[in-house]
Amino acid sequence: MADTVTLNAENKSYEYPVLSGSTGPDVVDIRKFYAETGMFTYDPGFTSTGSCESAITYIDGDIGMLLHRGYAIGDLAENCNFEEVAYLLQHGELPDKATKAVFEHDITYHSMLHEQIHNFYSGFRRDAHPMAIMCGVVGALSAFYHDSLDITNPDHRRISSYRLIAKMPTIAAWAYKYSQGQPFIYPRNDLGYAENFLHMMFATPCEDYEVNPVLSKAMDRILILHADHEQNASTSTVRLAGSSGANPFACIAAGIASLWGPAHGGANEAVLNMLNEIGDANRIDEYVGKAKDKDDPFRLMGFGHRVYKNYDPRAKIMAETCKEVLDELGVKDNALLDIAIALEKIALEDEYFIEKKLYPNVDFYSGIIFQAMGIPVTMFTALFALARTTGWIAQWNEMVEDPHQKIGRPRQLYTGPTERDYVALDNR
Ligand code: SDX
């Protein structure tokens, strides 16, 4: 690739440097573009815009590659637990045994919530969406940790990061318990991250509850698959909120809000609702037709991706995990899985989906697994937020530590009225 690109405008030439990373597309450095040309670039949705420099996650959408700090998602999902991946994302290297033990201890011993946080739950209706609770409670954490809000202090950043990673399973599980009218179950220091979450979800004070090891292993792998994903909408939200110097709890609450949308993390819930609406494999053609109809706003949920123009590598692992969980639970004929498999087959053979390179994404199978585990549909995106918190906080730390970091302040193409005289009320 050339070292510079030249733009010719109004009989003038402007040169901009081309920057190369360790792999992936080069970027054109246009930081001086407005000062030199008096024009803005225009890229709503940021389809061609790099917002930052990052060393955390790399995606090659054309070949379906996903790397975290250089390690392929398949290798990590196969060989690591979630805590190892969380450490890798935060610190850049896989931990050795001693370091892993210390990190797991640190996370475990921050999993409890301040007792007064119980009161935040009782302020919600029992049928509040868990993501509404997650937004509220996570944002409120900044009111409890005044000792660690100086984002310029690396120790404050580390303790806040660990608190957020550690407390998200408790916050999410308690949102479920609250919706069920059941008492909160406290985290236990003798359980791993995923196992602790499932224990807090399904244990009751009335009897001992053993988490099925096959299910906790599956949940651990699903959390790994959701941990981070480059500069997606919610991660970009966290970075933009953090660029103003906002505290990490407020930034993660903003990320949760963005993830909630059905075009993003809310898609796993939307997939289940869609499969239930289709209801029967012989209605699939009708819905594929709706998805292809330009005049119909319906989209096949769990399909398509801004970056992947090939199979989402996470979806493949999710599909395998789905079969493992259903086998373990002795679920022989799962109507929703049958519809999903048939839908995937039809879509992947359909010219529209082939031409637009629409493949199943991470959200297509996850909901079937969660439902089989007894997790209600409204909790699906809360699980996504639980897992993605470790990626969000790694990206937030990278942004804060970036010496070139500035407050994010995009411009616009203005199409509103030009200046006009004020008209008094009596004359309107
Ligand atoms: C996640 O960014 C990330 O990394 C996100 C994520 C992460 O880990 O953080 O991977 C998690 O959000 C996964 C995506 C979950 N969302 C869904 O499953 C919702 C359904 N998918 C679509 O809404 C859509 O595919 C998006 C939002 C995911 C991507 O949309 P883009 O990149 O803006 O693509 P687009 O809307 O421009 O679509 C390109 C074309 C369009 O047709 P044309 O206007 O070119 O004729 O493909 C069509 C779209 O209409 N299209 C679909 C479709 N997705 C895109 N048509 C039918 N069904 C779909 N699902």
Side-chain angles (χ1 to χ4, degrees):
M1 188 77 180
D3 295 342
T4 62
V5 294
T6 303
L7 176 113
N8 299 310
E10 293 164 357
N11 306 322
K12 284 182 74 177
S13 274
Y14 304 90
E15 286 229 321
Y16 296 98
V18 172
L19 309 178
S20 298
S22 47
T23 184
D26 291 339
V27 299
V28 179
D29 182 348
I30 56 164
R31 280 175 281 192
K32 294 185 177 141
F33 187 85
Y34 174 58
E36 291 176 353
T37 69
M39 290 189 284
F40 299 138
T41 60
Y42 185 64
D43 185 14
F46 311 120
T47 52
S48 302
T49 294
S51 62
C52 64
E53 185 178 317
S54 180
I56 298 173
T57 291
Y58 175 71
I59 304 172
D60 183 330
D62 293 331
I63 60 173
M65 173 191 273
L66 170 57
L67 308 179
H68 291 315
R69 304 285 193 179
Y71 294 101
I73 189 65
D75 289 344
L76 296 173
E78 182 65 32
N79 301 298
C80 295
N81 69 3
F82 180 74
E83 295 93 318
E84 278 177 281
V85 175
Y87 183 90
L88 173 68
L89 292 172
Q90 307 312 312
H91 301 288
E93 297 295 337
L94 285 169
D96 60 23
K97 281 184 184 162
T99 309
K100 180 184 173 196
V102 168
F103 182 71
E104 286 177 341
H105 176 278
D106 287 350
I107 295 300
T108 299
Y109 282 77
H110 281 295
S111 52
M112 276 180 60
L113 289 170
H114 191 292
E115 277 297 287
Q116 279 181 230
I117 287 182
H118 287 233
N119 303 328
F120 285 91
Y121 285 82
S122 53
F124 288 98
R125 285 173 38 147
R126 291 280 179 180
D127 62 353
H129 195 289
M131 288 297 276
I133 296 176
M134 299 279 279
C135 283
V137 172
V138 171
L141 289 177
S142 54
F144 287 79
Y145 296 113
H146 297 114
D147 66 338
S148 60
L149 294 182
D150 173 5
I151 65 165
T152 64
N153 181 329
D155 293 334
H156 285 202
R157 290 203 301 274
R158 189 189 60 77
I159 183 66
S160 295
S161 303
Y162 284 18
R163 278 172 168 153
L164 279 157
I165 294 169
K167 296 178 193 305
M168 287 303 274
T170 311
I171 292 168
W174 287 13
Y176 170 66
K177 283 305 200 188
Y178 182 72
S179 74
Q180 301 301 302
Q182 288 187 4
F184 294 145
I185 298 297
Y186 286 84
R188 280 187 20 192
N189 295 342
D190 61 332
L191 301 181
Y193 194 84
E195 192 182 5
N196 219 344
F197 170 66
L198 290 174
H199 186 264
M200 288 187 280
M201 281 285 290
F202 297 120
T204 66
C206 319
E207 57 189 15
D208 288 342
Y209 178 82
E210 282 288 312
V211 177
N212 179 324
V214 173
L215 299 189
S216 62
K217 175 72 186 144
M219 179 57 74
D220 187 85
R221 190 185 309 153
I222 291 168
L223 295 178
I224 290 172
L225 296 178
H226 287 84
D228 191 55
H229 211 241
E230 202 214 63
Q231 304 312 319
N232 57 83
S234 54
T235 297
S236 299
T237 300
V238 171
R239 279 180 171 262
L240 190 57
S243 73
S244 73
N247 72 71
F249 305 101
C251 296
I252 298 302
I256 293 170
S258 171
L259 185 75
W260 195 357
H264 191 12
N268 54 18
E269 178 176 349
V271 167
L272 251 288
N273 295 335
M274 175 187 74
L275 293 175
N276 279 310
E277 186 184 329
I278 293 173
D280 190 308
N282 60 32
R283 293 191 64 196
I284 289 173
D285 288 338
E286 172 196 341
Y287 278 85
V288 169
K290 283 168 60 71
K292 291 157 61 174
D293 178 355
K294 292 301 294 169
D295 299 324
D296 190 326
F298 174 79
R299 286 196 165 179
L300 224 44
M301 303 316 281
F303 262 79
H305 199 277
R306 171 62 57 77
V307 178
Y308 289 121
K309 302 309 171 188
N310 201 321
Y311 219 101
D312 183 334
R314 302 168 297 175
K316 282 182 184 165
I317 301 168
M318 201 68 84
E320 292 156 16
T321 305
C322 189
K323 292 185 176 65
E324 264 175 48
V325 166
L326 296 185
D327 288 349
E328 172 63 19
L329 294 173
V331 177
K332 290 284 173 276
D333 51 344
N334 180 303
L336 293 182
L337 178 63
D338 296 343
I339 295 172
I341 292 170
L343 178 58
E344 177 185 356
K345 185 174 182 310
I346 291 169
L348 292 181
E349 291 167 358
D350 184 286
E351 199 39 52
Y352 173 91
F353 291 86
I354 293 168
E355 185 250 326
K356 293 183 187 296
K357 299 182 179 177
L358 302 175
Y359 291 84
N361 58 49
V362 67
D363 294 308
F364 190 61
Y365 283 104
S366 55
I368 297 171
I369 304 173
F370 292 150
Q371 188 167 66
M373 288 181 170
I375 296 169
V377 176
T378 52
M379 276 295 293
F380 291 3
T381 310
L383 267 65
F384 197 148
L386 185 175
R388 186 54 58 87
T389 293
T390 195
W392 287 331
I393 208 65
Q395 300 270 353
W396 174 80
N397 276 296
E398 185 178 63
M399 181 272 302
V400 173
E401 291 158 9
D402 181 347
H404 305 300
Q405 186 268 330
K406 298 167 76 73
I407 187 167
R409 206 287 185 208
R411 301 303 301 272
Q412 63 182 11
L413 174 66
Y414 178 69
T415 56
T418 52
E419 187 170 14
R420 53 182 168 165
D421 295 334
Y422 174 75
V423 178
L425 182 59
D426 295 343
N427 301 330
R428 287 176 212 155

